[in-house]
Amino acid sequence: TGEYFSPSNARNTGALVSTGNYIVFCDDVSLPQPGWFDAVKNAQRKNMIVCGAYQKHFEMQVENGLLLNSLPNLGGIDGRWNLGGGVPAIIKGGQMYGCSLGIPSDVLMQVNGFDELCDSIGSEDYQLGMRLNNGGHVIYYDRNMYTIESEELHNQPYLMKREDRVLPMEEYM
């Protein structure tokens, strides 16, 4: 018993109680940069599944939603960064990272949301991406939908338990 890391459960709950036709997720220790919301609105207008870019920084000083000072983590740069700039690029489901993500609500429901088997271990983001690809959906990466994430807060000792629950394939299905 105890408090478990469960992003799938939290995101699915948010999707079920939302009333709009498009939902956006952004990691909790991330700071959306100028242009992020414009990229989200563009994706929503086009009904696109979109993933945003990220970079991890140390010692972030933020005031009124603006990054005043930080130390970039050169090892914490989005591996998809070179896929493009001003125009969203098509990516594979395994490249879907949850730093920020926009998706039409009905599409998320069609694939049964984030798999709760991933609760307590993570990987719910790219697992969803693979199911979206298997369902024939196109996923885009938009570098303009950019966030900066706190490296210290992301990697603090976990306050919630993580546990890899292994299920036989028959039970999972």
Side-chain angles (χ1 to χ4, degrees), residues 33-86:
Q33 294 301 288
W36 182 87
F37 193 60
D38 290 334
V40 168
K41 290 188 294 186
N42 179 56
Q44 189 267 338
R45 274 193 303 277
K46 295 178 179 178
N47 216 34
M48 294 168 45
I49 301 169
V50 64
C51 295
Y54 72 91
Q55 186 173 11
K56 296 182 180 191
H57 286 208
F58 293 102
E59 300 179 23
M60 290 174 61
Q61 296 174 348
V62 178
E63 188 175 299
N64 296 321
L66 297 175
L67 184 63
L68 300 179
N69 197 18
S70 68
L71 298 173
N73 174 2
L74 299 180
I77 298 172
D78 191 334
R80 304 164 298 177
W81 187 261
N82 290 331
L83 294 177

Side-chain angles (χ1 to χ4, degrees), residues 108-141:
L108 186 59
M109 296 303 158
Q110 285 172 12
V111 297
N112 201 28
F114 291 89
D115 193 331
E116 293 183 11
L117 181 69
C118 295
D119 276 345
S120 81
I121 59 171
S123 303
E124 74 289 340
D125 41 14
Y126 68 82
Q127 199 262 27
L128 170 64
M130 291 187 288
R131 287 187 291 118
L132 287 165
N133 277 168
N134 289 342
H137 297 282
V138 177
I139 304 167
Y140 293 90
Y141 170 73

Side-chain angles (χ1 to χ4, degrees), residues 89-162:
I90 295 175
I91 60 172
K92 297 187 182 314
Q95 294 173 295
M96 181 180 236
Y97 310 141
C99 55
S100 61
L101 156 69
I103 186 168
S105 299
D106 62 332
V107 171
L108 186 59
M109 296 303 158
Q110 285 172 12
V111 297
N112 201 28
F114 291 89
D115 193 331
E116 293 183 11
L117 181 69
C118 295
D119 276 345
S120 81
I121 59 171
S123 303
E124 74 289 340
D125 41 14
Y126 68 82
Q127 199 262 27
L128 170 64
M130 291 187 288
R131 287 187 291 118
L132 287 165
N133 277 168
N134 289 342
H137 297 282
V138 177
I139 304 167
Y140 293 90
Y141 170 73
D142 189 349
R143 219 166 64 181
N144 295 318
M145 194 171 147
Y146 174 55
T147 59
I148 296 179
E149 181 176 326
S150 169
E151 184 70 77
E152 294 96 341
L153 294 176
H154 180 74
N155 287 316
Q156 68 182 336
Y158 289 111
L159 301 175
M160 294 180 226
K161 292 181 188 178
R162 286 184 178 242

